[in-house]
Amino acid sequence: MKRIVSIGECMGELSETGVPGTLSMGFAGDTLNTAWYLRRMLPGDWTVDYVTAVGTDGLSNRLVEYLDSERIGTRHIQRLSDKTIGLYYIELKNGERSFTYWRSDSAAKRLAGDVETLEQALAGASIAYWSGITLAILAQADRQTLIDALMRFAARGGKVIFDPNLRPRLWESADAMREWITRAAGIADLCLPSHEDEASWFGDRDAEATAKRYRQAGAKRVAVKNGPGEISLLDADGQLAIVPVQPAAIVVDTTAAGDSFNAGFMAAELAGGTMAQAASAGAALAGRVIGARGALVPQAIEV
Ligand code: AMP
């Protein structure tokens, strides 16, 4: 069946409008960004479902309505009456963005609390996409529940695609982050790390070392992003390939560079492309996304 599920947390985003005393409201999150780009790039016979948990309050309703309006499937979103979605506020200070978060009690932290619900969400999908942020926000027991469900999904022939998206501040410790991320990558058909983060937290000396480490952890294939640097690929046979990236002439905002790359990569593979073609397509999309403000850039998508 032509169905992708993206699993993670989407938050409300509050940002200054420039008019004193008013804020503008949007929705964002790494796995949502990827789902949004996938939805716009994949043909209409594909279903893109978002899997998360939200509340039953007005703000949660607005998020679900937003996803519906973007044609992202909401059937598998759990509604928890005692919770609401996380929020963050973006402040611009001298051109630098700083963030304030209210997410410690968000509904999404419970997205893997119920095995049956997870199984239903995954049933019949061909690809499950998730990230290290999805993993970080969960309680320890729920992390294992989700990994186990994805392992069963993979055993049935589903493909698990994982972006480690290392965010040490979301984890109880750097050691816990390294351990869980390595475990999660081990069940992936495709792992999509960013070398700069990986070098900081795993000490990889170059992108090839990042790719090899994840393959050793069990990921079948790895594509390592490296900002404006080339993409390093390890295929299912362990063959290394390098794909050049055209460095952007102007970088306006790198938000969602990695998320859009991942979507461009997946869409190109689903259209029959090779790993190298998929990496080029991902880099081309991400290169356009960073040329405009914000995470979701409609004009970055070629039609
Ligand atoms: P990163 O997560 O920073 O490695 O970036 C993800 C992807 O965004 C990279 O693989 C590139 O395809 C793209 N990207 C990031 N920065 C640049 C840049 N300065 N110029 C062109 N592409 C970039």
Side-chain angles (χ1 to χ4, degrees):
M1 198 167 139
K2 292 185 162 183
R3 182 166 162 257
I4 294 189
V5 297
S6 182
I7 310 167
E9 176 171 27
C10 176
M11 285 176 289
E13 179 192 273
L14 301 171
S15 54
E16 302 286 351
T17 59
V19 178
T22 62
L23 291 172
S24 116
M25 171 86 203
F27 296 102
D30 65 332
T31 46
L32 172 70
N33 298 341
T34 302
W36 187 90
Y37 283 103
L38 277 172
R39 176 62 289 167
R40 292 197 172 215
M41 279 182 299
L42 288 176
D45 57 345
W46 274 89
T47 300
V48 179
D49 283 335
Y50 197 58
V51 175
T52 189
V54 303
T56 52
D57 57 293
L59 195 55
S60 299
N61 292 343
R62 270 180 75 167
L63 165 58
V64 173
E65 282 160 22
Y66 168 70
L67 295 173
D68 284 336
S69 73
E70 292 290 344
R71 295 178 298 118
I72 294 169
T74 56
R75 271 187 315 148
H76 298 286
I77 295 182
Q78 292 174 69
R79 308 295 295 247
L80 308 173
S81 59
D82 59 336
K83 299 277 173 197
T84 184
I85 61 170
L87 269 183
Y88 68 99
Y89 165 67
I90 307 177
E91 194 174 11
L92 258 184
K93 270 190 200 151
N94 311 320
E96 287 287 311
R97 285 151 42 109
S98 74
F99 298 85
T100 309
Y101 288 95
W102 298 266
R103 75 190 300 189
S104 55
D105 192 33
S106 71
K109 282 171 157 285
R110 302 237 305 263
L111 70 85
D114 182 59
V115 188
E116 259 319 296
T117 311
L118 271 183
E119 290 292 343
Q120 276 169 21
L122 292 168
S126 41
I127 294 176
Y129 172 77
W130 68 312
S131 80
I133 294 178
T134 312
L135 190 60
I137 63 166
L138 304 178
Q140 303 240 3
D142 289 0
R143 288 176 188 160
Q144 196 57 52
T145 302
L146 182 50
I147 290 175
D148 289 345
L150 289 168
M151 277 175 79
R152 288 191 294 274
F153 171 74
R156 294 194 297 268
K159 289 207 181 326
V160 178
I161 301 185
F162 179 68
D163 183 338
N165 233 335
L166 304 179
R167 295 288 184 280
R169 277 195 301 180
L170 293 179
W171 290 89
E172 55 275 29
S173 70
D175 280 342
M177 174 176 79
R178 284 186 280 261
E179 195 188 315
W180 281 105
I181 291 282
T182 302
R183 206 180 295 180
I187 62 165
D189 168 69
L190 173 65
C191 181
L192 295 164
S194 287
H195 174 66
E196 196 181 336
D197 295 345
E198 303 292 331
S200 304
W201 296 99
F202 284 92
D204 302 331
R205 69 186 179 286
D206 54 27
E208 187 179 335
T210 300
K212 287 189 167 151
R213 177 172 50 76
Y214 278 121
R215 200 151 185 283
Q216 209 146 28
K220 280 195 199 70
R221 305 182 299 142
V222 188
V224 185
K225 296 162 272 182
N226 197 6
E230 58 202 18
I231 313 289
S232 302
L233 304 175
L234 270 186
D235 69 13
D237 298 322
Q239 292 294 320
L240 181 73
I242 300 297
V243 173
V245 168
Q246 179 76 46
I250 309 163
V251 178
V252 175
D253 179 0
T254 57
T255 307
D259 306 333
S260 58
F261 175 95
N262 297 350
F265 190 109
M266 285 187 256
E269 278 207 325
L270 290 171
T274 61
M275 259 187 110
Q277 288 166 338
S280 291
L285 175 63
R288 295 189 295 269
V289 167
I290 64 178
R293 228 173 219 302
L296 308 177
V297 181
Q299 68 271 25
I301 297 159
E302 277 180 333
V303 282

